[in-house]
């Protein structure tokens, strides 16, 4: 085993894929374009106060699985508010978004099910597909024809279409209305991961409520949502949203719910406070989109030599939400650029294999509601300089 581990370490080193956690020692002055704290709520004193009150009443942990003694009134209130926010009938809270995706895919999947998965589905969904023992067909990104073909030619009695409303790496959106039409036509369930959309997407009265709220998908019997509480909601945990019948099924069949200690009361309380803020402060979601547009415009002026363009001159980065994706020529280039940016006081995400396929390495920037114009100007100038100076 030691020899194999050493061999694996050598391969990672040779391919420029060595990873190590970035340790934050405390608040700093860096411009944060890397975290998923889209609305700036992770440090909001209202969430901290809600968490403190929950600890005082319920203690620091849930103490057991939700089915034994781990469900508090906070969990039920949070589930009710999440369902109301997204326009779904019911919700079930898990201790992480990862476990929510494992729970729903394994509980709905099985030998009698086909899962049609977009090739850019998150790793938590992919792991759920594998554990579900379903037949899985992976289709090209946002390819409706391939999706329809898989559904039309299936032999399984059940089918699940798995997508993300906003994709975590590319930042683009799924064609949800057209996917719903396919789900209806072929008696399939459309599973929409709202991890990068909840708190950010939505229009008018539904601003920040997610991509599904206020649309024909909201509350539809063929639609199931998953969400995380650790991004826009600034807390921890995850949820599955759908019908009351689905919730009852998950309580009895989702192993990542049944055999896992419940979400800590403090996290549930913080997430509950965040839901209230999303309702009353829609300016936060609007600020995310404004700042995303400013970042996109600021980076569109980058110039590179012909043939190795990172971002074409005059072509702003496209995004449906908070995520902006900057293509890089290699994994090594992506790592070098992210490290240089961090050294200059700008934190950006670095995506390279195995997080993304070979040839898809990129920097990921997240537009946050609390970024200032000065933050954005500095970040864009810094990234332009780094990328233009790369060999």
């Amino acid at each position: 085993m030691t020899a194999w581990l050493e061999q694996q370490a050598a391969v990672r080193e040779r391919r420029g894929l060595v990873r190590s956690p970035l340790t934050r020692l405390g608040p700093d002055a860096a411009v944060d374009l890397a975290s998923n704290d889209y609305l700036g709520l992770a440090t909001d004193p209202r969430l901290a106060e809600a968490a403190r009150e929950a600890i005082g009443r319920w203690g620091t942990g849930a103490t057991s699985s939700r089915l034994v003694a781990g469900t508090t009134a906070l969990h039920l209130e949070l589930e009710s508010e999440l369902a109301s926010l997204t326009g779904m009938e019911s919700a079930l809270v898990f201790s992480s978004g990862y476990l929510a995706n494992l729970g729903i895919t394994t509980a709905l999947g099985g030998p009698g099910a086909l899962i049609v998965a977009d090739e850019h589905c998150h790793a938590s969904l992919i792991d759920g597909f594998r554990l579900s023992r379903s037949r899985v067909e992976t289709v090209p990104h946002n390819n409706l024809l391939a999706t329809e073909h898989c559904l039309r030619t299936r032999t399984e009695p059940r089918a699940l279409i798995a997508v993300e409303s906003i994709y975590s790496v590319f930042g683009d959106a799924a064609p949800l209305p057209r996917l719903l039409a396919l789900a209806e036509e072929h008696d399939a369930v459309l599973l929409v991961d709202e991890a990068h959309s909840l708190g950010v997407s939505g229009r008018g009265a539904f601003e920040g409520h997610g991509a599904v709220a206020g649309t024909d998908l909201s509350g539809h019997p063929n639609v199931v949502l998953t969400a995380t509480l650790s991004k826009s909601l600034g807390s921890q945990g995850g949820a599955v949203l759908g019908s009351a019948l689905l919730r009852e099924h998950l309580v009895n069949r989702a192993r990542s719910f049944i055999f896992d200690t419940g979400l800590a009361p403090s996290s549930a309380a913080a997430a509950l406070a965040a839901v209230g803020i999303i309702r009353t402060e829609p300016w936060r979601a609007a600020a995310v989109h404004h700042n995303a547009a400013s970042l996109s415009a600021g980076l569109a002026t980058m110039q590179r030599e012909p043939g190795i363009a990172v971002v074409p001159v005059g072509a702003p980065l496209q995004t449906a939400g908070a995520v902006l994706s900057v293509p890089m020529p290699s994994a090594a280039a992506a790592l070098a650029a992210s490290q240089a940016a961090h050294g200059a006081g700008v934190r950006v995400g670095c995506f390279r294999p195995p997080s993304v396929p070979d040839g898809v390495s990129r920097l990921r920037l997240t537009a946050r509601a609390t970024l200032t114009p000065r933050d954005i100007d500095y970040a864009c100038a810094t990234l332009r300089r780094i990328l233009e100076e790369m060999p």
Side-chain angles (χ1 to χ4, degrees), residues 89 171 246:
E89 181 182 8
L246 174 69

Side-chain angles (χ1 to χ4, degrees), residues 51-52 58 106 126 139 146 175 189 194 211 223 227 229 236 238 253 258 282 289 296 316 341 361 366-367 372 388:
R52 279 193 292 268
W58 299 104
T106 54
I126 294 171
V139 296
V189 170
E194 288 263 61
V223 175
L229 315 180
Q236 193 79 22
R253 294 297 301 274
I258 297 168
H289 291 279
S296 176
S361 293
T366 55
T372 67
E388 290 168 2

Side-chain angles (χ1 to χ4, degrees), residues 120-140:
H120 290 162
C121 279
H122 190 264
S124 57
L125 286 169
I126 294 171
D127 287 351
F129 305 156
R130 293 168 176 168
L131 289 172
S132 75
R133 297 174 296 133
S134 308
R135 181 167 72 90
V136 180
E137 291 288 347
T138 301
V139 296

Side-chain angles (χ1 to χ4, degrees), residues 17-294:
L17 302 179
V18 176
R19 287 165 164 74
S20 60
L22 173 64
T23 302
R24 291 186 292 151
L25 302 178
D28 57 37
V31 178
D32 179 13
L33 301 182
S35 80
N36 296 319
D37 183 25
Y38 298 143
L39 303 184
L41 296 180
T43 56
D44 191 290
R46 292 169 290 184
L47 271 66
E49 181 57 31
R52 279 193 292 268
E53 290 179 1
I55 289 173
R57 181 176 182 185
W58 299 104
T60 56
T63 74
S64 72
S65 74
R66 291 279 307 272
L67 293 182
V68 179
T71 297
T72 70
L74 280 172
H75 293 89
L76 299 182
E77 186 179 0
L78 174 59
E79 288 168 349
S80 176
E81 288 299 309
L82 285 170
S84 175
L85 183 74
T86 57
M88 304 301 284
E89 181 182 8
S90 189
L92 185 67
V93 166
F94 290 68
S95 61
S96 75
Y98 204 106
L99 293 179
N101 277 341
L102 291 186
I104 188 61
T105 48
T106 54
L108 292 185
L114 166 69
I115 296 176
V116 183
D118 189 283
E119 65 178 335
H120 290 162
C121 279
H122 190 264
S124 57
L125 286 169
I126 294 171
D127 287 351
F129 305 156
R130 293 168 176 168
L131 289 172
S132 75
R133 297 174 296 133
S134 308
R135 181 167 72 90
V136 180
E137 291 288 347
T138 301
V139 296
H141 184 49
N142 281 345
N143 190 312
L144 293 165
L145 289 177
T147 300
E148 193 278 334
H149 175 77
C150 291
L151 294 171
R152 176 169 42 83
T153 59
R154 82 177 197 260
T155 58
E156 294 83 359
R158 305 189 313 280
L160 183 72
I161 308 168
V163 300
E164 299 180 34
S165 50
I166 295 179
Y167 284 89
S168 59
V169 177
F170 284 3
D172 59 340
L176 294 180
R178 298 170 72 185
L179 287 166
L180 175 59
L182 289 179
E184 291 177 317
E185 179 182 355
H186 296 282
D187 189 26
V189 170
L190 175 58
L191 173 60
V192 182
D193 185 341
E194 288 263 61
H196 296 273
S197 185
L198 184 63
V200 173
S201 299
R203 294 183 178 179
F206 300 99
E207 187 153 33
H209 295 206
V212 166
T215 72
D216 290 341
L217 284 83
S218 180
H220 195 287
N222 290 67
V223 175
V224 176
L225 309 183
T226 60
T228 178
L229 315 180
S230 62
K231 294 181 171 61
S232 288
L233 273 65
S235 182
Q236 193 79 22
V240 177
L241 303 106
S243 67
L245 185 60
L246 174 69
R247 185 184 188 279
E248 191 270 341
H249 179 73
L250 290 172
V251 167
N252 286 275
R253 294 297 301 274
R255 293 170 65 86
S256 60
F257 175 84
I258 297 168
F259 298 104
D260 185 48
T261 297
L263 181 68
S266 55
S267 295
L272 184 58
V275 171
I277 293 171
I278 288 173
R279 289 185 184 278
T280 58
E281 299 180 4
W283 65 264
R284 291 179 181 270
V288 169
H289 291 279
H290 177 271
N291 289 342
S294 296

